[in-house]
Each structure stands twice: as structure tokens, then as C-alpha cells.
Amino acid sequence: MKNLIALLVSVTLAFVAGEAMLRMFTPFPIGTQSHRSIDAKYGYRLDPTLGDIDEDGFRNLAGAHHGFQVAAVGDSMTYGNNVDSAHAWPAAFAAITGERTYNFGVGSYGIYSYHAIVLDALAAGAKGAIVAVFPGNDFAMVFSACDIMDAHSDFWLAEQERLQLQAPTGQTDGQSQCTKARSVSLKTKLFENVAILSVYHYGIRDRAKSLYAHLFAASDRVLSEYYMFPDGCPSVSRRSVDDAGRMADLSSPEIAAMFADFERFAADWAERGRGRVGLLVLPSKERVIYEHLRRRGQLAIAEPGFIRSVERQMALEAKIREVADRLDLPYRSAVAATADALEEAILAGQRFYPDSDGHPFESGYNAFARTASSLWDEMQAATSEASH
């Protein structure tokens, strides 16, 4: 019994010491609400104590906010998950164009955050703003949209009246959607609030599962969790694909209301001056896989649930394009360039996406940056035409 008690005490002390060290010297624990401070206009900003976050709460070098010329506005696809800040698409875009570019990307931002940032960036003197829209979740009442709705800021109360907004006013089931989005299981709460479990969840578990899948035949459980494809094409989580399809479904009253607000935002951006705001559509992992399969004539091998979800995202992309064309907003989609980069990676035997994450590695962000550069050329041409 004494040996058992001594063992329990030793394990407990080791756990406490490990937890303390992780909290002191790493960003763990990582969760949906960690490392953020509430911002009434944007929803939240990131914690400046994180390694590459500036004093304003965004992923830039210190002082980058002063004198920037291009605002790169978006979510985690703009922030640059899975790469360092120098290889996120705003930094790669700056290297291509020579324009001083500020990365306003934060994970889980959506169209409401984008609107507030665009207005602030243009008012601060930026030549233009590139709004990187992610159809997979930018039009869902989750995360930053919920925090904005809860804050009832003077800015959003004024915008609600000025633009006759629908979704953040309580006219839809937004509150219930926010409650649902914030409700998490005890397991998730532990992973998000205990540093040791967070390290396991984000740093060990997925790598171990990936290694097992590569070394051994895929189990029925792995097959049930992922949509699988042949010839080196990456797999993708069924849950993430299904969630994206749901959050891009324009037949949903919530999504339709948010898209109506997006149309109002886009019209307002267009009035700020021709060529000052451009729309860049960034594709989800499954959207890129769909395009890869389509080019190879292999869509028939994909499961109906995969096709259905991606086609919902594609329908939303088409509506965004229609809005851009109607308002004469410069527009580009990064689908083609990203599918090109995926094909090159497959031929070279290189990984383009992590197995259990929808954000690409460096070559994917380079494809985004090249598309953004093409969009910027169009924006500058439109601005030049308007001035003459």
C-alpha cells in the first residue's frame, strides 16, 4: 500500500510539474477560446504574448501596422496554419508584389470580422484590402460572429441600422446556433484546458494515427473517419467535410441570412472606390481534392456524401462570384492554382496537406499568394482606370 501511495504521489507531482512547464514555455493548452482577447468590433484578437503575434493581436512583425498598403483579411487560411508566418500567403504575396502587407487573418473569423477590418484598414490609408473568403465556414454563425453578437458594440449597432443587417440582430436563430457551437463535451474541455492533454491531442495523437495508417493497412475505424482516395490523393476527415457542407448550405435560413449580409457588405465595399477591395476565394481541402478528381475523370469513385458537401461549397462560390460581378468587385478563386500545386506534390511524392487537417503546407499557401497577386493586379488596374 505504501508503495502504491508513493507511486501515486510521484505521478501526481510529475503531472503537476509537466503541466506547469508546458504552460510557462509553450502555447499549450490550445483551445477554441485560448490565447484570445475579446474585441467588440472583430470578435476577438490574438494574445500578443504568443511568439509571432504583434502588439495589435495579429500575425505580423512588431510595428507592421504602421504604413501598410495592403490588408490581407481572412481566417486561419490567411493566418497560415501549418506554416511559419513568413510562408503564410500574405507574406508570400508581399514577397511577390513588393507591397507592404498586413496579415489580418485569425482562425474562425468570418464575414462580420472581415467587414469591420476592411473599413478600418481603408480608413487607415491602405491602398486596398484583399478579403480571403473561405466558403467552408465563413457564413456560419459561430465563433467570432457569436462574440460580435454578444458584444452589442456601438459600431455594430450603427452598422445594423445603416446596412439593415439580418443575422446578428436576433432575427434568425443565431443565438441558438451560437449556444450549439459553444457547447462541447467534457473530453473536449479537458483537451482544451489541460496542457498535457492538449499536447497529446494536437502534437501526438494525429501523428501517431497517421504513422499507423501508413505502416499498416487502414482499419475499418480509419475508413469510417475519412474519405479515402487512390493514387496518392490525400484523405480528408468525414466530419470536417460534412460540417463544411452544412455551413455552406444556402437552403439553411441562417446561412442565407448571413449571405444576405455579405451582399450588403460587398456593396458597401464597392462604394469605397473601384479596385480598393477584392475578393479572393480560398478552397477547402475537399474542394481541391474534388477538382483534382474531376480533372482525372475520377469523380465517380467519390462517395455521395463527399460530392454533396463539395457541391454545396461550389454553389456558394458561384453566388460569391455573382455578387462580385454585379458590383464590379475584382474576384479570383484559388481553386485552380491550388489543384495544380496538389498535383505537383502528388507527382513528387510530397505531402500537400496533413492527414487530419484541412490547411495546406507551404506550397498550398504559395498557390494562394500567386492568385492573390493576380487579383491585386486587377485591383490596381481598376483603380487606375477609375482615376483617369
Side-chain angles (χ1 to χ4, degrees):
M1 179 60 73
K2 289 182 179 180
N3 290 339
L4 178 59
I5 293 174
L7 177 62
L8 289 174
V9 170
S10 298
V11 169
T12 301
L13 290 175
F15 185 91
V16 171
E19 182 76 11
M21 295 291 285
L22 286 170
R23 288 176 179 270
M24 288 175 62
F25 299 108
T26 76
F28 293 100
I30 297 173
T32 56
Q33 300 301 316
S34 62
H35 310 300
R36 296 175 178 175
S37 58
I38 294 299
D39 183 289
K41 285 179 71 174
Y42 301 168
Y44 41 76
R45 301 187 189 216
L46 297 175
D47 184 352
T49 62
L50 292 175
D52 55 358
I53 304 303
D54 68 13
E55 62 273 19
D56 293 305
F58 296 102
R59 196 183 195 191
N60 301 278
L61 297 175
H65 193 271
H66 301 292
F68 71 88
Q69 294 299 301
V70 181
V73 186
D75 61 3
S76 55
M77 289 289 191
T78 297
Y79 172 89
N81 282 21
N82 293 328
V83 296
D84 59 37
S85 57
H87 294 110
W89 78 255
F93 166 86
I96 294 171
T97 63
E99 298 284 358
R100 292 190 61 183
T101 305
Y102 192 85
N103 187 345
F104 280 103
V106 173
S108 300
Y109 268 11
I111 60 166
Y112 296 101
S113 303
Y114 300 167
H115 177 62
I117 292 170
V118 166
L119 298 192
D120 284 350
L122 296 182
K127 289 196 295 186
I130 295 176
V131 180
V133 181
F134 183 70
N137 60 24
D138 276 356
F139 297 87
M141 186 60 72
V142 293
F143 302 119
S144 65
C146 295
D147 290 321
I148 286 170
M149 179 164 38
D150 290 345
H152 300 291
S153 70
D154 291 340
F155 169 81
W156 281 108
L157 291 174
E159 288 299 276
Q160 172 188 328
E161 182 176 351
R162 182 174 74 90
L163 300 177
Q164 295 298 296
L165 302 178
Q166 295 184 34
T169 67
Q171 296 175 24
T172 69
D173 59 349
Q175 289 288 358
S176 63
Q177 292 295 330
C178 288
T179 300
K180 185 186 300 183
R182 288 166 173 162
S183 62
V184 295
S185 66
L186 175 61
K187 177 182 176 181
T188 300
K189 289 180 180 178
L190 288 172
F191 280 135
E192 291 191 351
N193 293 284
V194 179
I196 291 175
L197 295 180
S198 187
V199 168
Y200 165 75
H201 182 69
Y202 290 98
I204 299 175
R205 187 191 68 165
D206 291 341
R207 288 181 174 85
K209 288 173 65 176
S210 175
L211 179 62
Y212 181 87
H214 283 292
L215 293 177
F216 305 100
S219 65
D220 290 341
R221 181 177 178 183
V222 171
L223 291 174
S224 70
E225 290 180 356
Y226 292 89
Y227 289 111
M228 310 290 287
F229 307 97
D231 304 327
C233 188
S235 60
V236 61
S237 162
R238 289 177 182 269
R239 179 177 178 180
S240 66
V241 172
D242 295 345
D243 284 347
R246 174 178 53 80
M247 290 188 284
D249 185 2
L250 284 166
S251 68
S252 161
E254 171 206 340
I255 306 303
M258 292 190 70
F259 189 83
D261 285 350
F262 169 75
E263 291 187 88
R264 292 172 170 84
F265 294 153
D268 191 61
W269 301 341
E271 292 177 359
R272 306 285 159 171
R274 190 159 181 255
R276 295 201 72 195
V277 179
L279 300 181
L280 172 67
V281 170
L282 299 182
S284 64
K285 182 180 184 179
E286 60 269 20
R287 177 68 178 93
V288 178
I289 292 171
Y290 180 103
E291 178 63 14
H292 173 74
L293 296 176
R294 185 194 66 78
R295 293 178 177 185
R296 296 169 63 89
Q298 293 182 321
L299 280 176
I301 69 173
E303 295 183 36
F306 175 86
I307 297 294
R308 182 169 55 252
S309 175
V310 176
E311 288 182 344
R312 286 176 177 173
Q313 296 179 46
M314 293 169 64
L316 184 52
E317 289 173 25
K319 294 291 288 184
I320 295 169
R321 178 64 182 267
E322 289 176 12
V323 169
D325 290 344
R326 173 164 48 83
L327 297 172
D328 196 25
L329 282 172
Y331 169 95
R332 287 287 189 281
S333 167
V335 171
T338 314
D340 289 344
L342 172 62
E343 291 177 10
E344 292 173 5
I346 291 173
L347 289 174
Q350 299 171 346
R351 296 176 72 206
F352 190 78
Y353 291 104
D355 291 336
S356 55
D357 189 346
H359 301 82
F361 293 121
E362 183 179 337
S363 57
Y365 288 106
N366 286 337
F368 296 170
R370 291 193 299 272
T371 308
S373 175
S374 175
L375 173 62
W376 181 245
D377 289 342
E378 181 183 346
M379 292 169 66
Q380 288 188 300
T383 301
S384 178
E385 289 177 10
S387 66
H388 290 88

